[in-house]
Amino acid sequence: MTIPPLSSEARPGLAPGVRLAFDKARDQWVVLAPERVLVPDETALEILQRCNGTRQLDDIINELASAYSADRSEIEHDVRDLLASLIEKRIVIA
Amino acid sequence: MSAVRTLSPPLAALLELTHRCPLQCPYCSNPLELERAKGELSTAEWMRVLDEASELGILQVHFSGGEPAVRRDLPDLVAHARKAGLYSNLITSGVTLDQPRLTKLAEAGLDHVQLSMQDVDHQTAAYIANYPGVQGKKLAFARAVREVGLPLTINAVINRHNITRVERMIDLAVSLGAGRVEVAHAQYYGWAIRNRAALMPTLAQVQEATGRVEAARERLRGQIVIDYVLPDYYARQPKACMGGWGRQFLNITPSGEVLPCHAAQTIPGLTFESVRHRPLADIWARSEAFETFRGTDWMPEPCRGCDQREVDWGGCRCQALAITGNAAATDPACALSSAHDALRALADTASSEPPPDFVYRRMSPQDSKAALATTTG
Ligand code: SF4
Ligand code: SF4
């Protein structure tokens, strides 16, 4: 089965059982999930912090594009890539 | 080796709150010598351990056992873990928790539930757990978990009695609303090694099951995460047991002994320290049991010169001991180990004969009386 691409109105959020937390001992953000600890890089963290289940994908992309004054289509590509892989791992749901 | 080195803190701790359990699985990872209830850490002691764990840098705690829910203070411990900033997972057999108690755990901040499954077939499930009606109770429990809104992982332990139904176990996990299923071949430590012949599937069965798991993974992509744990006896490369000895995990027994892995007490000559007598951070950094096999200095050939030595860390010490009699040997699951063929022969012989009866997990008669007295008292 292939996963269909997200609609731009989708509202991605962390899956149940997944938390974003700051790890004081290692001075970094971590994603805590069942039997898994992931360390997001800077871009992934910026994206994940905006995935709260209420913001629309479109708005998340716009926000990031203006925050980084970057090309919107490039940002969109990065965001969709990351979310697709995290949805497959059930870290994110949309 | 230099005198100063940096040691990372562990990521996760397995907390064996008790060895008491209503089930008697013949592959239970608990030691043959089960600990009695009266030696268990108190609520206050466990709370202190949770605080120490969090300060040390541990991120996730697994409340395990035995059956952790036989401890009445479980909701208080979960709440305390939450307060300490820890991610908490409950590893349960699901037969003692009803919906009101589950709701309490959810309210206390439990993050995730992992339910063990013996089979999809009710009769075999009851036979494996030595507990009539076990499957019905587990199904009801799994539904209750989803009703209170907790995320669920199903942990299916694969052995020769259920291996032909591996796909149905995955489908059952999907239908129960689990986000993840762990399909794990029995690991031969603890009670499982005692029951090896009664549990061991043939190579052909393992290959067939592996194919089915891979097909299910493709078919269910995006619906459920499938983690597959291969059986060591048919492997060519060992697992990085515990992510490497003393690198990522620690295990605390009901009475507070801190172990690098749950089977470490089988290794003769290692001394373990208790959270009752020493801070957890000290035990992690300096106790002899953790230092003995940490890193690569202890390694013999072929591990010492192998480019995989910091990938699999030489495999499992307890398996090396169980098969070769030497805990410091290369894990026989590795094709480069001189005991590799012997390991494989053990599996082939065991699986080609009809299965003997199970030796069910239980306390020695004297112990079980003591445990019952404490439970009902
Ligand atoms: S493996 Fe079975 S007997 Fe052992 S603790 Fe788990 S449910 Fe109880
Ligand atoms: S020789 Fe040792 S380090 Fe190399 S693959 Fe085998 S177990 Fe791992």
Side-chain angles (χ1 to χ4, degrees):
Chain A
M1 205 177 93
T2 44
I3 301 166
L6 285 182
S7 102
S8 37
E9 281 105 62
R11 299 171 196 273
L14 295 181
V18 178
R19 280 203 266 146
L20 192 61
F22 189 72
D23 171 4
K24 276 182 277 171
R26 299 167 191 79
D27 195 28
Q28 65 188 7
W29 284 90
V30 287
V31 178
L32 302 174
E35 296 280 335
R36 279 174 178 74
V37 176
L38 310 177
V39 183
D41 65 18
E42 208 183 309
T43 323
L45 180 63
E46 291 287 335
I47 297 169
L48 283 174
Q49 281 173 330
R50 287 171 172 79
C51 293
N52 58 4
T54 58
R55 279 211 188 90
Q56 286 191 349
L57 180 58
D58 245 358
D59 298 337
I60 295 174
I61 296 167
N62 290 337
E63 240 183 82
L64 287 166
S66 73
Y68 288 96
S69 26
D71 179 30
R72 191 183 187 284
S73 65
E74 229 168 79
I75 296 272
E76 171 161 11
H77 182 261
D78 284 357
V79 172
R80 284 184 176 277
D81 249 21
L82 179 84
L83 291 182
S85 86
L86 291 180
I87 286 171
E88 184 170 340
K89 297 190 183 105
R90 290 189 71 95
I91 301 292
V92 167
I93 49 169
Chain B
M1 193 173 82
S2 61
V4 183
R5 71 198 158 112
T6 49
L7 173 65
S8 322
L11 288 170
L14 190 84
L15 312 178
E16 294 177 356
L17 297 186
T18 180
H19 279 165
R20 288 172 283 159
C21 183
L23 271 47
Q24 299 187 343
C25 308
Y27 47 68
C28 184
S29 63
N30 289 157
L32 299 178
E33 283 291 324
L34 294 166
E35 290 185 13
R36 303 168 185 217
K38 70 175 191 312
E40 289 173 11
L41 295 182
S42 67
T43 308
E45 284 174 314
W46 276 120
M47 286 183 174
R48 178 171 55 78
V49 168
L50 290 166
D51 291 334
E52 289 185 18
S54 166
E55 272 159 40
L56 174 57
I58 286 172
L59 299 172
Q60 297 189 319
V61 288
H62 305 281
F63 290 108
S64 177
E67 172 49 61
V70 305
R71 294 264 315 207
R72 290 280 130 192
D73 56 1
L74 183 61
D76 304 324
L77 297 179
V78 167
H80 199 85
R82 192 35 167 308
K83 221 173 66 198
L86 295 160
Y87 182 103
S88 62
N89 176 29
L90 176 68
I91 300 180
T92 181
S93 63
V95 299
T96 60
L97 276 172
D98 53 15
Q99 188 142 353
R101 283 192 78 207
L102 250 179
T103 307
K104 253 185 154 175
L105 290 172
E107 285 166 3
L110 184 67
D111 285 291
H112 178 259
V113 176
Q114 180 171 323
L115 171 65
S116 62
M117 278 281 179
Q118 280 69 17
D119 205 329
V120 281
D121 179 78
H122 288 234
Q123 229 173 330
T124 324
Y127 170 63
I128 294 173
N130 200 21
Y131 190 100
V134 72
Q135 188 69 358
K137 287 200 168 188
K138 283 180 184 249
L139 295 176
F141 173 78
R143 287 184 196 110
V145 170
R146 299 301 296 137
E147 258 157 52
V148 306
L150 283 167
L152 175 69
T153 288
I154 297 291
N155 176 25
V157 180
I158 306 305
N159 58 75
R160 65 191 294 178
H161 296 277
N162 63 15
I163 191 164
T164 55
R165 290 180 288 280
V166 58
E167 219 172 349
R168 286 175 58 199
M169 285 196 253
I170 295 171
D171 287 335
L172 176 65
V174 174
S175 73
L176 291 171
R180 183 168 159 267
V181 57
E182 227 177 81
V183 181
H185 285 268
Q187 306 243 49
Y188 294 93
Y189 325 108
W191 289 82
I193 204 155
R194 172 74 75 90
N195 285 294
R196 186 167 55 201
L199 294 166
M200 187 70 70
T202 63
L203 176 61
Q205 286 176 321
V206 169
Q207 286 168 337
E208 160 96 29
T210 304
R212 283 173 191 265
V213 171
E214 274 158 15
R217 209 179 248 157
E218 210 31 57
R219 173 166 62 88
L220 299 168
R221 187 180 298 275
Q223 278 186 63
I224 193 164
V225 173
I226 304 177
D227 284 337
Y228 186 50
V229 179
L230 283 156
D232 281 334
Y233 280 57
Y234 293 115
R236 297 189 55 77
Q237 262 188 314
K239 294 186 188 73
C241 188
M242 312 310 288
W245 187 272
R247 304 194 70 79
Q248 298 186 350
F249 294 99
L250 57 83
N251 181 103
I252 305 182
T253 74
S255 64
E257 307 247 296
V258 187
L259 317 177
C261 92
H262 50 68
Q265 284 161 316
T266 57
I267 299 177
L270 285 188
T271 40
F272 304 98
E273 295 186 68
S274 168
V275 291
R276 283 189 165 130
H277 308 301
R278 202 173 176 187
L280 190 61
D282 268 12
I283 298 177
W284 170 256
R286 282 180 275 279
S287 87
E288 186 220 313
F290 281 88
E291 285 290 87
T292 303
F293 298 115
R294 188 176 259 146
T296 54
D297 283 1
W298 60 272
M299 285 182 177
E301 291 295 349
C303 294
R304 178 171 286 274
C306 176
D307 64 359
Q308 296 297 300
R309 66 182 180 276
E310 294 197 354
V311 177
D312 63 37
W313 302 99
C316 173
R317 299 303 89 230
C318 306
Q319 187 148 276
L321 173 81
I323 305 302
T324 71
N326 174 12
T330 295
D331 185 338
C334 177
L336 301 174
S337 154
S338 53
H340 182 71
D341 293 344
L343 183 78
R344 185 53 197 284
L346 279 171
D348 286 336
T349 312
S351 61
S352 63
E353 283 161 15
D357 287 341
F358 287 140
V359 180
Y360 286 116
R361 169 216 202 262
R362 53 171 65 109
M363 304 218 173
S364 63
Q366 185 202 349
D367 284 3
S368 57
K369 245 183 268 153
L372 274 178
T374 325
T375 314
T376 51

